[in-house]
Amino acid sequence: MSLFESLHISATGMTANRLWLDLIANNVANINSTGTPGDPNNKPYRRQAPVFRQVLRQQLGAAPAAVSPGLGVRVSQLVQDAGEPRLVYDPDHPDAHPETGYVAYPNINILNEMVNMLAATRAYEANVTAFEAAKQMYLSALEMGR
Amino acid sequence: MKLLYDPLSTILARQMDACALRQRVIADNIANANTPGFKKSVVSFQQQLKRALGETGFNMSVSHPRHIAPGQGGLDNLTPQVIKVEGTSMRASENNVDIDQEMVNLAANALLYRLAARVWSDRANLMSYVIKGGR
């Protein structure tokens, strides 16, 4: 149990949510990154999403029933959206399928990304607030006996 | 004479320990607000404190050296407990963190910590005032 552990816990939350925000920005930026339908060498961009997992404390010799506070959150893996790409008929496009004329666009819903962005921002802010509260507590401890 | 190691100072120190632990637990709950399957934890301290102070239940007196001391004797090994809240869910991902409740607990906990620190400081200042003879 380190001295400024609650600051570290809030920091893990900020890191995870910042990564989520980065992924959302990447998804929105690549909303028009096309590919050729059915061509494994020229796939369209696939939407990425983080998988959040809690970080558990590793304790040797602790009673199994004892609950100890966790150590925050981490992104265990990034998953790619398995959804089918959106097909748009555009025969003049360099990525168009030579026979059908369809171009594969990533299956990204901009509304979905915007909502996720708000959620990530709010979650980040909540962690910042927790961080500030912990900082105020440590500061008031420093003021003891003044 | 126990200058700053009287029961009240011990209680204040234990209260600050409990608040520091609760701060960790709340920070962990907030960090995991979007983690699927996460169950929040809470810190139980006020109940233990009441029991140690003898406000609930009854106090047994120690009339024999081999008796186990109840009540006040428990003040030194007063430990806050972390309890995992299972069985409830806030959303489809089985996560049960209520972010509004966590934010309220966060503010209340920080205030309680500062209150304990302030009371301790005021007592220390009073001691210092007395030691200096009111100067």
Side-chain angles (χ1 to χ4, degrees), chain A residues 28-102:
Chain A
V28 173
N30 280 294
I31 197 160
N32 286 319
S33 299
T34 54
T36 308
D39 185 358
N41 296 322
N42 186 18
K43 291 179 182 170
Y45 175 81
R46 279 193 183 279
R47 178 179 168 270
Q48 288 183 315
V51 176
F52 291 140
R53 285 274 181 275
Q54 53 177 315
V55 182
L56 295 172
R57 187 183 307 270
Q58 291 186 336
Q59 252 176 343
L60 287 174
V67 183
S68 55
L71 286 176
V73 68
R74 72 189 163 90
V75 174
S76 65
Q77 58 171 328
L78 304 180
V79 288
Q80 287 198 324
D81 194 310
E84 284 294 305
R86 191 162 50 94
L87 297 181
V88 174
Y89 184 69
D90 187 1
D92 296 333
H93 197 285
D95 282 337
H97 193 273
E99 286 159 21
T100 61
Y102 277 105

Side-chain angles (χ1 to χ4, degrees), chain B:
Chain B
M1 183 197 163
K2 291 176 178 176
L3 199 59
L4 280 171
Y5 295 97
D6 54 333
L8 183 56
S9 295
T10 314
I11 292 169
L12 288 175
R14 294 278 176 272
Q15 178 68 70
M16 288 176 76
D17 281 347
C19 284
L21 178 70
R22 192 178 286 132
Q23 170 66 32
R24 276 187 205 121
V25 169
I26 293 172
D28 188 50
N29 289 346
I30 292 174
N32 282 293
N34 286 317
T35 306
F38 176 80
K39 296 294 182 195
K40 69 176 175 183
S41 299
V42 293
V43 172
S44 136
F45 177 69
Q46 254 56 10
Q47 284 299 322
Q48 278 97 313
L49 183 61
K50 270 185 188 172
R51 207 176 301 133
L53 292 173
E55 278 185 27
T56 58
F58 54 92
N59 251 334
M60 289 182 291
S61 59
V62 182
S63 56
H64 189 276
R66 297 179 78 176
H67 281 173
I68 298 168
Q72 288 281 20
L75 210 57
D76 285 327
N77 39 34
L78 185 63
T79 46
Q81 277 183 336
V82 182
I83 299 167
K84 200 175 252 291
V85 182
E86 312 264 7
T88 58
S89 281
M90 280 291 287
R91 38 173 142 168
S93 67
E94 307 238 309
N95 186 308
N96 68 349
V97 177
D98 181 352
I99 192 73
D100 300 312
Q101 201 187 9
E102 295 301 330
M103 289 331 243
V104 170
N105 289 345
L106 181 77
N109 186 54
L111 285 175
L112 191 57
Y113 186 91
R114 296 179 71 173
L115 174 73
R118 175 75 64 82
V119 173
W120 192 93
S121 288
D122 286 355
R123 281 169 60 81
N125 286 340
L126 194 70
M127 289 293 179
S128 141
Y129 180 76
V130 171
I131 288 168
K132 287 178 188 162
R135 271 174 287 130

Side-chain angles (χ1 to χ4, degrees), chain A residues 127-138:
Chain A
N127 281 293
V128 172
T129 310
F131 182 91
E132 280 293 328
K135 203 179 82 181
Q136 285 302 323
M137 280 170 65
Y138 290 127

